[in-house]
Short mmCIF file of all heavy atoms in Angstrom, two decimals:
data_model
loop_
_atom_site.label_atom_id
_atom_site.label_comp_id
_atom_site.label_asym_id
_atom_site.label_seq_id
_atom_site.Cartn_x
_atom_site.Cartn_y
_atom_site.Cartn_z
N MET A 60 33.56 -109.05 41.18
CA MET A 60 33.45 -110.49 41.15
C MET A 60 34.82 -111.13 41.31
O MET A 60 35.81 -110.59 40.84
CB MET A 60 32.87 -110.95 39.82
CG MET A 60 31.45 -110.62 39.60
SD MET A 60 30.88 -111.52 38.16
CE MET A 60 29.24 -111.74 38.67
N SER A 61 34.81 -112.28 41.90
CA SER A 61 36.07 -113.00 42.07
C SER A 61 36.36 -113.84 40.83
O SER A 61 35.47 -114.13 40.03
CB SER A 61 36.01 -113.90 43.30
OG SER A 61 35.15 -114.99 43.05
N VAL A 62 37.59 -114.26 40.70
CA VAL A 62 38.00 -115.10 39.59
C VAL A 62 37.24 -116.42 39.63
O VAL A 62 36.80 -116.94 38.60
CB VAL A 62 39.53 -115.35 39.62
CG1 VAL A 62 39.94 -116.37 38.58
CG2 VAL A 62 40.29 -114.05 39.43
N VAL A 63 37.03 -116.96 40.81
CA VAL A 63 36.31 -118.23 40.97
C VAL A 63 34.88 -118.09 40.45
O VAL A 63 34.37 -118.98 39.74
CB VAL A 63 36.32 -118.69 42.44
CG1 VAL A 63 35.43 -119.90 42.64
CG2 VAL A 63 37.74 -118.98 42.89
N GLU A 64 34.22 -116.99 40.79
CA GLU A 64 32.85 -116.77 40.33
C GLU A 64 32.79 -116.68 38.81
O GLU A 64 31.89 -117.25 38.17
CB GLU A 64 32.27 -115.49 40.93
CG GLU A 64 31.97 -115.59 42.40
CD GLU A 64 31.54 -114.27 43.00
OE1 GLU A 64 32.17 -113.23 42.70
OE2 GLU A 64 30.55 -114.29 43.75
N ILE A 65 33.74 -115.99 38.22
CA ILE A 65 33.78 -115.86 36.77
C ILE A 65 34.04 -117.21 36.11
O ILE A 65 33.38 -117.57 35.12
CB ILE A 65 34.85 -114.82 36.34
CG1 ILE A 65 34.41 -113.44 36.81
CG2 ILE A 65 35.06 -114.84 34.83
CD1 ILE A 65 35.45 -112.37 36.66
N GLU A 66 34.96 -118.00 36.65
CA GLU A 66 35.23 -119.34 36.10
C GLU A 66 34.01 -120.23 36.20
O GLU A 66 33.72 -121.00 35.28
CB GLU A 66 36.43 -119.97 36.82
CG GLU A 66 37.75 -119.32 36.46
CD GLU A 66 38.91 -119.81 37.31
OE1 GLU A 66 38.67 -120.46 38.35
OE2 GLU A 66 40.05 -119.54 36.92
N ASP A 67 33.27 -120.12 37.30
CA ASP A 67 32.03 -120.90 37.45
C ASP A 67 31.01 -120.50 36.39
O ASP A 67 30.34 -121.36 35.81
CB ASP A 67 31.43 -120.70 38.85
CG ASP A 67 32.23 -121.39 39.95
OD1 ASP A 67 33.07 -122.26 39.61
OD2 ASP A 67 32.01 -121.04 41.13
N MET A 68 30.88 -119.21 36.13
CA MET A 68 29.94 -118.75 35.11
C MET A 68 30.34 -119.22 33.72
O MET A 68 29.49 -119.58 32.90
CB MET A 68 29.84 -117.23 35.14
CG MET A 68 29.04 -116.71 36.31
SD MET A 68 28.74 -114.96 36.21
CE MET A 68 30.15 -114.36 37.13
N ILE A 69 31.63 -119.24 33.44
CA ILE A 69 32.11 -119.72 32.14
C ILE A 69 31.77 -121.20 31.98
O ILE A 69 31.33 -121.63 30.91
CB ILE A 69 33.63 -119.48 31.99
CG1 ILE A 69 33.90 -117.98 31.84
CG2 ILE A 69 34.20 -120.25 30.80
CD1 ILE A 69 35.37 -117.60 31.90
N GLN A 70 31.94 -122.00 33.03
CA GLN A 70 31.59 -123.43 32.96
C GLN A 70 30.11 -123.62 32.69
O GLN A 70 29.71 -124.49 31.92
CB GLN A 70 32.00 -124.14 34.24
CG GLN A 70 33.49 -124.37 34.34
CD GLN A 70 33.86 -125.13 35.61
OE1 GLN A 70 33.11 -125.16 36.57
NE2 GLN A 70 35.04 -125.73 35.58
N VAL A 71 29.27 -122.81 33.31
CA VAL A 71 27.82 -122.90 33.07
C VAL A 71 27.53 -122.54 31.62
O VAL A 71 26.78 -123.25 30.93
CB VAL A 71 27.04 -121.98 34.03
CG1 VAL A 71 25.59 -121.87 33.61
CG2 VAL A 71 27.15 -122.47 35.46
N LEU A 72 28.12 -121.47 31.13
CA LEU A 72 27.92 -121.05 29.75
C LEU A 72 28.33 -122.14 28.77
O LEU A 72 27.62 -122.46 27.83
CB LEU A 72 28.71 -119.77 29.46
CG LEU A 72 28.67 -119.25 28.03
CD1 LEU A 72 27.26 -118.81 27.67
CD2 LEU A 72 29.65 -118.12 27.85
N GLN A 73 29.47 -122.76 29.03
CA GLN A 73 29.99 -123.79 28.13
C GLN A 73 29.17 -125.07 28.17
O GLN A 73 29.26 -125.89 27.27
CB GLN A 73 31.46 -124.08 28.44
CG GLN A 73 32.36 -122.92 28.09
CD GLN A 73 33.79 -123.13 28.52
OE1 GLN A 73 34.10 -124.00 29.33
NE2 GLN A 73 34.68 -122.31 27.99
N SER A 74 28.34 -125.25 29.19
CA SER A 74 27.51 -126.45 29.28
C SER A 74 26.17 -126.27 28.58
O SER A 74 25.42 -127.23 28.43
CB SER A 74 27.27 -126.82 30.74
OG SER A 74 26.42 -125.88 31.36
N LEU A 75 25.88 -125.06 28.13
CA LEU A 75 24.62 -124.80 27.44
C LEU A 75 24.65 -125.42 26.05
O LEU A 75 25.70 -125.79 25.53
CB LEU A 75 24.36 -123.30 27.35
CG LEU A 75 24.20 -122.57 28.69
CD1 LEU A 75 24.07 -121.07 28.46
CD2 LEU A 75 23.01 -123.10 29.46
N ASP A 76 23.49 -125.49 25.43
CA ASP A 76 23.37 -126.07 24.10
C ASP A 76 23.64 -125.01 23.05
O ASP A 76 23.05 -123.93 23.13
CB ASP A 76 21.97 -126.65 23.95
CG ASP A 76 21.83 -127.56 22.77
OD1 ASP A 76 22.82 -128.21 22.41
OD2 ASP A 76 20.72 -127.64 22.22
N PRO A 77 24.48 -125.23 22.10
CA PRO A 77 25.27 -126.43 21.87
C PRO A 77 26.46 -126.48 22.83
O PRO A 77 27.01 -125.44 23.20
CB PRO A 77 25.76 -126.29 20.42
CG PRO A 77 25.81 -124.83 20.18
CD PRO A 77 24.70 -124.24 21.04
N ILE A 78 26.82 -127.68 23.21
CA ILE A 78 27.92 -127.88 24.15
C ILE A 78 29.18 -127.22 23.58
O ILE A 78 29.53 -127.42 22.44
CB ILE A 78 28.18 -129.38 24.40
CG1 ILE A 78 26.96 -130.05 25.01
CG2 ILE A 78 29.41 -129.60 25.26
CD1 ILE A 78 26.62 -129.57 26.40
N GLY A 79 29.83 -126.43 24.40
CA GLY A 79 31.07 -125.77 23.99
C GLY A 79 30.90 -124.32 23.61
O GLY A 79 31.88 -123.63 23.35
N VAL A 80 29.65 -123.85 23.58
CA VAL A 80 29.44 -122.43 23.29
C VAL A 80 30.16 -121.64 24.37
O VAL A 80 30.19 -122.02 25.52
CB VAL A 80 27.94 -122.08 23.23
CG1 VAL A 80 27.28 -122.21 24.58
CG2 VAL A 80 27.73 -120.69 22.68
N GLY A 81 30.83 -120.59 24.01
CA GLY A 81 31.58 -119.81 24.98
C GLY A 81 33.01 -120.30 25.17
O GLY A 81 33.71 -119.84 26.07
N ALA A 82 33.44 -121.24 24.35
CA ALA A 82 34.80 -121.74 24.44
C ALA A 82 35.79 -120.64 24.05
O ALA A 82 35.45 -119.72 23.30
CB ALA A 82 34.98 -122.95 23.53
N LYS A 83 37.01 -120.75 24.56
CA LYS A 83 38.04 -119.74 24.26
C LYS A 83 38.46 -119.76 22.80
O LYS A 83 38.75 -118.73 22.23
CB LYS A 83 39.27 -119.95 25.15
CG LYS A 83 39.00 -119.74 26.62
CD LYS A 83 40.24 -120.00 27.43
CE LYS A 83 40.25 -121.48 27.72
NZ LYS A 83 41.27 -121.89 28.67
N ASP A 84 38.51 -120.97 22.23
CA ASP A 84 38.92 -121.12 20.83
C ASP A 84 38.40 -122.46 20.32
O ASP A 84 37.71 -123.18 21.04
CB ASP A 84 40.45 -121.03 20.68
CG ASP A 84 41.21 -121.99 21.58
OD1 ASP A 84 40.69 -123.06 21.91
OD2 ASP A 84 42.35 -121.67 21.95
N LEU A 85 38.72 -122.80 19.07
CA LEU A 85 38.22 -124.03 18.48
C LEU A 85 38.67 -125.26 19.26
O LEU A 85 37.88 -126.17 19.54
CB LEU A 85 38.68 -124.14 17.03
CG LEU A 85 38.27 -125.42 16.29
CD1 LEU A 85 36.76 -125.56 16.24
CD2 LEU A 85 38.86 -125.43 14.90
N THR A 86 39.93 -125.30 19.63
CA THR A 86 40.45 -126.45 20.38
C THR A 86 39.70 -126.63 21.69
O THR A 86 39.29 -127.74 22.04
CB THR A 86 41.96 -126.29 20.65
OG1 THR A 86 42.65 -126.18 19.41
CG2 THR A 86 42.52 -127.46 21.43
N ASP A 87 39.51 -125.55 22.41
CA ASP A 87 38.79 -125.61 23.68
C ASP A 87 37.36 -126.11 23.46
O ASP A 87 36.86 -126.94 24.22
CB ASP A 87 38.79 -124.23 24.34
CG ASP A 87 38.26 -124.24 25.75
OD1 ASP A 87 38.58 -125.18 26.51
OD2 ASP A 87 37.53 -123.29 26.12
N GLY A 88 36.70 -125.64 22.41
CA GLY A 88 35.34 -126.08 22.11
C GLY A 88 35.27 -127.57 21.82
O GLY A 88 34.37 -128.27 22.29
N LEU A 89 36.24 -128.06 21.04
CA LEU A 89 36.27 -129.49 20.74
C LEU A 89 36.55 -130.33 21.98
O LEU A 89 35.95 -131.39 22.17
CB LEU A 89 37.31 -129.78 19.66
CG LEU A 89 36.98 -129.24 18.27
CD1 LEU A 89 38.17 -129.42 17.34
CD2 LEU A 89 35.74 -129.89 17.70
N LEU A 90 37.44 -129.86 22.84
CA LEU A 90 37.74 -130.58 24.08
C LEU A 90 36.51 -130.67 24.98
O LEU A 90 36.24 -131.71 25.58
CB LEU A 90 38.91 -129.93 24.82
CG LEU A 90 40.28 -130.04 24.15
CD1 LEU A 90 41.30 -129.18 24.89
CD2 LEU A 90 40.74 -131.47 24.06
N ILE A 91 35.78 -129.59 25.06
CA ILE A 91 34.55 -129.57 25.87
C ILE A 91 33.56 -130.59 25.31
O ILE A 91 32.95 -131.37 26.06
CB ILE A 91 33.93 -128.16 25.90
CG1 ILE A 91 34.83 -127.20 26.67
CG2 ILE A 91 32.53 -128.19 26.51
CD1 ILE A 91 34.49 -125.74 26.48
N GLN A 92 33.39 -130.61 24.00
CA GLN A 92 32.46 -131.55 23.38
C GLN A 92 32.91 -133.00 23.58
O GLN A 92 32.08 -133.87 23.86
CB GLN A 92 32.32 -131.25 21.89
CG GLN A 92 31.60 -129.95 21.64
CD GLN A 92 31.56 -129.59 20.17
OE1 GLN A 92 31.91 -130.38 19.31
NE2 GLN A 92 31.14 -128.37 19.88
N LEU A 93 34.20 -133.26 23.45
CA LEU A 93 34.71 -134.61 23.64
C LEU A 93 34.49 -135.10 25.07
O LEU A 93 34.16 -136.27 25.28
CB LEU A 93 36.20 -134.68 23.29
CG LEU A 93 36.53 -134.65 21.80
CD1 LEU A 93 38.03 -134.46 21.60
CD2 LEU A 93 36.06 -135.91 21.11
N ARG A 94 34.66 -134.23 26.05
CA ARG A 94 34.46 -134.62 27.45
C ARG A 94 33.01 -134.99 27.73
O ARG A 94 32.73 -135.79 28.61
CB ARG A 94 34.88 -133.49 28.39
CG ARG A 94 36.36 -133.36 28.58
CD ARG A 94 36.70 -132.46 29.75
NE ARG A 94 36.14 -131.14 29.64
CZ ARG A 94 36.80 -130.06 29.20
NH1 ARG A 94 38.05 -130.15 28.84
NH2 ARG A 94 36.22 -128.88 29.14
N GLU A 95 32.09 -134.42 26.98
CA GLU A 95 30.66 -134.65 27.23
C GLU A 95 30.13 -135.90 26.54
O GLU A 95 29.00 -136.30 26.79
CB GLU A 95 29.86 -133.43 26.77
CG GLU A 95 30.14 -132.18 27.58
CD GLU A 95 29.78 -132.34 29.06
OE1 GLU A 95 28.71 -132.92 29.36
OE2 GLU A 95 30.56 -131.88 29.90
N LEU A 96 30.90 -136.51 25.66
CA LEU A 96 30.44 -137.70 24.95
C LEU A 96 30.24 -138.88 25.90
O LEU A 96 31.01 -139.06 26.84
CB LEU A 96 31.45 -138.11 23.88
CG LEU A 96 31.57 -137.22 22.66
CD1 LEU A 96 32.70 -137.73 21.76
CD2 LEU A 96 30.27 -137.15 21.89
N GLU A 97 29.22 -139.69 25.62
CA GLU A 97 28.99 -140.89 26.43
C GLU A 97 30.14 -141.87 26.27
O GLU A 97 30.56 -142.49 27.23
CB GLU A 97 27.69 -141.57 26.00
CG GLU A 97 26.46 -140.90 26.56
CD GLU A 97 25.21 -141.67 26.20
OE1 GLU A 97 25.26 -142.91 26.08
OE2 GLU A 97 24.18 -141.01 26.04
N ASP A 98 30.62 -142.03 25.04
CA ASP A 98 31.73 -142.95 24.79
C ASP A 98 33.03 -142.16 24.68
O ASP A 98 33.65 -142.09 23.63
CB ASP A 98 31.48 -143.81 23.56
CG ASP A 98 31.18 -143.00 22.32
OD1 ASP A 98 30.87 -141.80 22.44
OD2 ASP A 98 31.28 -143.55 21.22
N TYR A 99 33.41 -141.54 25.79
CA TYR A 99 34.60 -140.70 25.89
C TYR A 99 35.82 -141.44 25.32
O TYR A 99 36.05 -142.60 25.64
CB TYR A 99 34.85 -140.32 27.35
CG TYR A 99 36.12 -139.54 27.58
CD1 TYR A 99 36.18 -138.20 27.28
CD2 TYR A 99 37.24 -140.16 28.11
CE1 TYR A 99 37.33 -137.48 27.50
CE2 TYR A 99 38.40 -139.45 28.33
CZ TYR A 99 38.44 -138.10 28.02
OH TYR A 99 39.59 -137.39 28.23
N ASN A 100 36.57 -140.76 24.45
CA ASN A 100 37.71 -141.37 23.79
C ASN A 100 38.98 -140.61 24.18
O ASN A 100 39.20 -139.49 23.71
CB ASN A 100 37.49 -141.34 22.28
CG ASN A 100 38.56 -142.08 21.52
OD1 ASN A 100 39.73 -142.01 21.86
ND2 ASN A 100 38.15 -142.77 20.48
N GLU A 101 39.79 -141.21 25.01
CA GLU A 101 41.01 -140.56 25.51
C GLU A 101 41.96 -140.21 24.37
O GLU A 101 42.60 -139.15 24.38
CB GLU A 101 41.70 -141.46 26.52
CG GLU A 101 42.94 -140.85 27.16
CD GLU A 101 42.60 -139.70 28.10
OE1 GLU A 101 41.56 -139.76 28.76
OE2 GLU A 101 43.40 -138.75 28.17
N LEU A 102 42.07 -141.08 23.36
CA LEU A 102 42.96 -140.83 22.24
C LEU A 102 42.53 -139.59 21.46
O LEU A 102 43.35 -138.73 21.14
CB LEU A 102 43.04 -142.05 21.31
CG LEU A 102 43.92 -141.88 20.08
CD1 LEU A 102 45.37 -141.58 20.48
CD2 LEU A 102 43.85 -143.13 19.20
N ALA A 103 41.24 -139.48 21.18
CA ALA A 103 40.74 -138.30 20.46
C ALA A 103 40.99 -137.04 21.27
O ALA A 103 41.38 -136.00 20.72
CB ALA A 103 39.24 -138.46 20.18
N TYR A 104 40.79 -137.11 22.57
CA TYR A 104 41.02 -135.96 23.44
C TYR A 104 42.49 -135.55 23.41
O TYR A 104 42.82 -134.38 23.27
CB TYR A 104 40.59 -136.32 24.87
CG TYR A 104 40.61 -135.15 25.82
CD1 TYR A 104 39.50 -134.32 25.94
CD2 TYR A 104 41.72 -134.87 26.61
CE1 TYR A 104 39.50 -133.24 26.81
CE2 TYR A 104 41.73 -133.80 27.49
CZ TYR A 104 40.62 -133.00 27.58
OH TYR A 104 40.64 -131.93 28.44
N THR A 105 43.40 -136.52 23.48
CA THR A 105 44.84 -136.24 23.47
C THR A 105 45.26 -135.64 22.14
O THR A 105 46.04 -134.68 22.10
CB THR A 105 45.63 -137.53 23.75
OG1 THR A 105 45.24 -138.04 25.02
CG2 THR A 105 47.12 -137.27 23.76
N ILE A 106 44.76 -136.20 21.03
CA ILE A 106 45.10 -135.67 19.71
C ILE A 106 44.64 -134.23 19.59
O ILE A 106 45.38 -133.36 19.14
CB ILE A 106 44.48 -136.54 18.60
CG1 ILE A 106 45.19 -137.89 18.55
CG2 ILE A 106 44.55 -135.84 17.25
CD1 ILE A 106 44.51 -138.91 17.65
N ASP A 107 43.41 -133.94 20.00
CA ASP A 107 42.89 -132.57 19.90
C ASP A 107 43.69 -131.63 20.80
O ASP A 107 44.00 -130.51 20.38
CB ASP A 107 41.41 -132.56 20.28
CG ASP A 107 40.80 -131.19 20.08
OD1 ASP A 107 41.07 -130.57 19.04
OD2 ASP A 107 40.06 -130.76 20.97
N LYS A 108 44.03 -132.06 21.98
CA LYS A 108 44.72 -131.19 22.93
C LYS A 108 46.14 -130.85 22.47
O LYS A 108 46.61 -129.74 22.65
CB LYS A 108 44.76 -131.85 24.29
CG LYS A 108 45.25 -130.95 25.38
CD LYS A 108 45.07 -131.58 26.74
CE LYS A 108 45.46 -130.59 27.81
NZ LYS A 108 45.13 -131.07 29.13
N LYS A 109 46.83 -131.81 21.84
CA LYS A 109 48.23 -131.60 21.48
C LYS A 109 48.42 -131.09 20.06
O LYS A 109 49.49 -130.63 19.72
CB LYS A 109 48.99 -132.90 21.67
CG LYS A 109 49.08 -133.30 23.14
CD LYS A 109 49.98 -134.47 23.33
CE LYS A 109 49.99 -134.80 24.80
NZ LYS A 109 51.26 -135.20 25.29
N HIS A 110 47.39 -131.19 19.21
CA HIS A 110 47.58 -130.80 17.81
C HIS A 110 46.50 -129.84 17.41
O HIS A 110 46.15 -129.55 16.39
CB HIS A 110 47.60 -132.01 16.91
CG HIS A 110 48.68 -132.99 17.30
ND1 HIS A 110 50.00 -132.76 17.08
CD2 HIS A 110 48.62 -134.17 17.93
CE1 HIS A 110 50.72 -133.77 17.53
NE2 HIS A 110 49.89 -134.65 18.06
#
């Protein structure tokens, strides 16, 4: 398998319920969940990504 195919499969896995399942770590899981929110909050995303 190519790297692209594997990355595509990871994105599909992470979109399953609950959102973020298959994340690399807690921060990654939270970032995935924040991106999926209807009322996306850039500040919350930045805080989670940097801290």
Side-chain angles (χ1 to χ4, degrees):
M60 291 191 148
S61 71
V62 172
V63 172
E64 289 174 316
I65 293 171
E66 289 172 346
D67 288 344
M68 285 187 268
I69 290 171
Q70 285 182 339
V71 170
L72 176 65
Q73 291 174 345
S74 71
L75 297 175
D76 194 31
I78 298 294
V80 68
K83 295 178 273 189
D84 54 29
L85 178 60
T86 301
D87 189 41
L89 291 172
L90 292 172
I91 292 166
Q92 291 175 10
L93 286 169
R94 282 194 303 262
E95 295 298 318
L96 290 176
E97 281 184 32
D98 55 343
Y99 175 78
N100 186 321
E101 184 70 34
L102 179 59
Y104 188 87
T105 301
I106 289 170
D107 185 44
K108 189 171 185 172
K109 294 188 181 218
H110 303 287

